[in-house]
C-alpha cells in the first residue's frame, strides 16, 4: 500500500522498518494499520520488526502514541498519566513480542468500543486493563486463525507417486 508521500508501508517490507525508525512517519504508519484481525494475521511481530532493523524505542513510541490516541476516546476516572504510555509500551513489547503493530491497534480499537469488557464496567485505563484486552484479543485472534483455510505444505502438494518415493 502506498501513502500520499509515496512511501511503501507494507509491514512485510523493509521500507516499513525505515518508516518506523523515522518519527516523522509515525502518523502515516498509524493511519495505514490494518483494521481487522484477519488482515493482521500476516503482519510482522515486534520481534520480526526489530530483527529487520527497526529501532525498539521507535516501536515503543508508536505503541505509546496508539495508547494515548485510544485513551483520549475514553472518559474514565483512572486514565493514563503522562509518561505512563511509554512504560506500558515497553512492557507490552517485552511480554508480547509476537504481537504486531496491527494487532495492538485492533485490540485498542475494540477495547475502547467495549468489546472486551462488560458494559459499564470500565472505570480506569491502565496496564491491567490493556493486558485484559490482550487476553481477549488473543482468543479472537486464535478463532480467526483456526477458521482460515490451511496452506498445504510442499510435501502435501506432491503427487502420490512422488510422495511414495519419499
Amino acid at each position: 500500500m502506498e501513502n500520499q508521500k509515496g512511501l511503501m508501508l507494507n509491514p512485510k517490507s523493509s521500507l516499513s522498518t525505515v518508516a518506523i525508525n523515522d518519527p516523522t512517519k509515525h502518523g502515516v504508519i498509524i493511519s495505514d494499520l490494518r483494521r481487522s484481525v484477519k488482515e493482521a494475521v500476516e503482519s510482522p511481530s515486534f520481534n520480526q520488526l526489530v530483527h529487520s532493523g527497526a529501532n525498539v524505542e521507535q516501536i515503543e513510541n508508536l505503541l505509546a502514541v496508539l495508547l494515548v490516541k485510544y485513551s483520549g476516546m475514553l472518559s474514565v476516572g483512572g486514565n493514563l498519566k503522562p509518561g505512563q504510555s511509554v512504560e506500558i509500551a515497553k512492557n507490552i513489547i517485552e511480554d508480547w513480542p509476537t504481537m504486531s503493530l496491527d494487532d495492538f491497534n485492533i485490540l485498542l480499537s475494540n477495547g475502547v468500543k467495549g468489546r472486551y469488557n462488560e458494559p459499564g464496567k470500565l472505570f480506569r485505563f491502565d496496564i491491567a486493563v490493556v493486558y485484559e484486552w490482550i487476553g481477549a484479543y488473543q482468543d479472537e485472534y486464535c478463532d480467526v486463525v483456526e477458521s482460515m483455510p490451511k496452506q498445504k505444505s510442499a510435501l502435501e502438494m506432491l503427487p502420490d507417486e512422488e510422495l511414495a518415493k519419499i
Side-chain angles (χ1 to χ4, degrees):
M1 98 186 67
E2 194 170 321
N3 70 24
Q4 310 84 324
K5 298 176 182 144
L7 174 69
M8 289 298 289
L9 290 176
N10 178 348
K12 295 179 188 174
S13 75
S14 60
L15 289 174
S16 66
T17 302
V18 172
I20 287 168
N21 289 336
D22 182 355
T24 65
K25 305 286 189 242
H26 289 184
V28 176
I29 292 170
I30 289 170
S31 68
D32 284 344
L33 290 174
R34 290 167 172 85
R35 305 282 184 226
S36 78
V37 178
K38 192 171 187 175
E39 293 174 334
V41 167
E42 294 188 20
S43 297
S45 68
F46 302 138
N47 272 348
Q48 290 170 323
L49 289 171
V50 170
H51 289 329
S52 66
N55 182 314
V56 175
E57 282 114 18
Q58 293 302 332
I59 298 171
E60 290 168 358
N61 289 339
L62 275 166
L63 295 183
V65 168
L66 286 170
L67 282 163
V68 170
K69 172 187 170 185
Y70 287 105
S71 168
M73 295 179 185
L74 298 169
S75 55
V76 293
N79 217 336
L80 293 177
K81 297 175 184 139
Q84 198 174 11
S85 60
V86 173
E87 289 305 312
I88 293 171
K90 287 178 182 180
N91 280 280
I92 288 168
I93 292 170
E94 182 179 313
D95 294 342
W96 307 96
T98 58
M99 183 175 277
S100 72
L101 290 168
D102 292 311
D103 291 324
F104 194 65
N105 182 60
I106 294 165
L107 84 86
L108 288 175
S109 176
N110 289 344
V112 299
K113 293 174 187 171
R115 287 186 64 183
Y116 302 141
N117 39 278
E118 291 181 49
K121 297 290 183 187
L122 184 64
F123 301 109
R124 68 188 198 292
F125 184 65
D126 57 18
I127 193 167
V129 170
V130 173
Y131 273 53
E132 285 177 31
W133 291 357
I134 289 172
Y137 177 79
Q138 283 192 314
D139 292 342
E140 180 179 6
Y141 184 93
C142 289
D143 290 344
V144 168
V145 169
E146 288 174 6
S147 72
M148 295 175 75
K150 293 185 178 185
Q151 282 187 315
K152 291 185 174 184
S153 70
L155 285 175
E156 291 174 310
M157 291 191 280
L158 288 174
D160 289 338
E161 309 83 50
E162 293 293 321
L163 196 55
K165 292 177 186 176
I166 297 173

